[in-house]
Amino acid sequence: MSCYRVYALCYARRTGRRGQNFCGYDEHWDEPHPTAYYVWLAVSDEHTVVVDTGIGPSRADGFSDYVNPVRLVEDIGVRVGEVDRVVLTHLHYDHTGTAGSFPSARYVLQQSEVDYWTGPWSSRISREQWLLDKEDLDAVLGSGRVDLVDGDAEVLPGLSVHLVGGHTAGMQVVRVATARGPVVLASDASHFYENIEDDRPFPILHSMPGMYAAFDRINALAGDPSLVVAGHDPEVLRRFPAETERIARIA
Ligand SMILES: [Zn+2]
């Protein structure tokens, strides 16, 4: 079984309000609530996999501590040409921004996610359109290097994707075999640890029942809850050993 080293790379930050991050009434709704933005990297002796590609420079206004996510990948010693898979957990702009920067990679995303954003009704779903970057999507689909999957799939030995839905129609999480056991990169299926640990979904969502089902699926896939990696929680940089102030070694 292939074993991966897994990293979380924090490329930007933003401070919102608690009420923006949890469904339901919260008496502390108006308190500041920091959000961190990550891409993830899984490296084995044979493969280099980037999970999500962050925000591109053209949409980085309004975020603090921004660096181009590609630069962070290179900081770990990975050349973009070595990346052989890019998994896109979903198609929100803060997960696709530098997708065109990996000239040899095959892109892995869910068919249902592409269908949702490109289907006959997509342009009428105006409350969500701002979350898609059409140029990013066109770069991926036009690359000729796309593997559309439907449900659960092994991408490489020891690295699999799992359709969970909830946050978006085709939201997928990534399970990675490591020396510590299976790590689950939850991405936006759980923005913060508080979402999954206190059973309180994030309010930008496609399906509320899907959000809860995603929590259960993530916990089942991880086995050990300490190996779940939340998608936007600054806490990731405290729960896992820091290599630099932006990079945590998950396993
Ligand atoms: Zn999202």
Side-chain angles (χ1 to χ4, degrees):
M1 169 67 92
S2 291
C3 219
Y4 288 83
R5 303 183 300 282
V6 180
Y7 302 87
L9 317 179
C10 176
Y11 67 86
R13 294 174 183 275
R14 184 179 64 81
T15 298
R17 305 265 162 215
R18 271 190 64 80
Q20 296 174 302
N21 297 320
F22 303 99
C23 283
Y25 176 71
D26 186 325
E27 62 184 7
H28 304 290
W29 68 273
D30 204 26
E31 289 178 6
H33 198 266
T35 298
Y37 292 77
Y38 298 96
V39 299
W40 300 275
L41 187 66
V43 185
S44 72
D45 292 342
E46 295 90 25
H47 296 287
T48 303
V49 181
V50 167
V51 177
D52 289 345
T53 62
I55 296 172
S58 65
R59 288 188 77 161
D61 283 358
F63 295 89
S64 56
D65 294 341
Y66 176 80
V67 293
N68 190 319
V70 176
R71 245 190 57 204
L72 287 181
V73 169
E74 291 170 334
D75 281 352
I76 287 199
V78 169
R79 293 191 303 275
V80 291
E82 292 170 354
V83 175
D84 56 348
R85 297 290 190 289
V86 170
V87 175
L88 297 174
T89 62
H90 64 305
L91 290 171
H92 284 167
Y93 76 97
D94 57 323
H95 297 258
T96 62
T98 66
S101 305
F102 302 94
S104 313
R106 294 199 67 81
Y107 297 94
V108 181
L109 66 161
Q110 292 284 331
Q111 178 77 60
S112 52
E113 184 72 359
V114 176
D115 290 348
Y116 180 67
W117 294 105
T118 60
W121 307 288
S122 65
S123 63
R124 289 153 61 187
I125 309 172
S126 54
R127 76 186 168 113
E128 293 185 35
Q129 271 304 315
W130 68 277
L131 289 162
L132 177 76
D133 192 300
K134 189 74 172 54
E135 280 180 32
D136 294 344
L137 179 56
D138 289 346
V140 169
L141 296 180
S143 70
R145 292 177 273 115
V146 183
D147 294 327
L148 294 176
V149 297
D150 184 11
D152 296 359
E154 183 178 69
V155 176
L156 294 165
L159 193 145
S160 52
V161 292
H162 304 269
L163 174 65
V164 296
H167 177 60
T168 64
M171 175 85 216
Q172 61 183 352
V173 301
V174 185
R175 186 177 197 244
V176 190
T178 76
R180 293 184 62 199
V183 162
V184 175
L185 302 173
S187 181
D188 289 9
S190 187
H191 285 64
F192 300 95
Y193 283 107
E194 199 173 338
N195 296 121
I196 189 168
E197 290 174 356
D198 291 357
D199 215 23
R200 293 192 59 193
F202 185 82
I204 293 178
L205 54 82
H206 178 68
S207 151
M208 182 69 99
M211 294 294 280
Y212 289 112
F215 292 162
D216 291 353
R217 192 75 205 286
I218 289 165
N219 283 325
L221 288 167
D224 180 347
S226 74
L227 294 177
V228 171
V229 182
H232 285 278
D233 200 329
E235 180 75 12
V236 169
L237 294 166
R238 294 186 283 271
R239 289 195 181 192
F240 297 96
E243 302 238 321
T244 72
E245 60 179 16
R246 290 181 180 273
I247 298 175
R249 173 83 182 261
I250 306 299

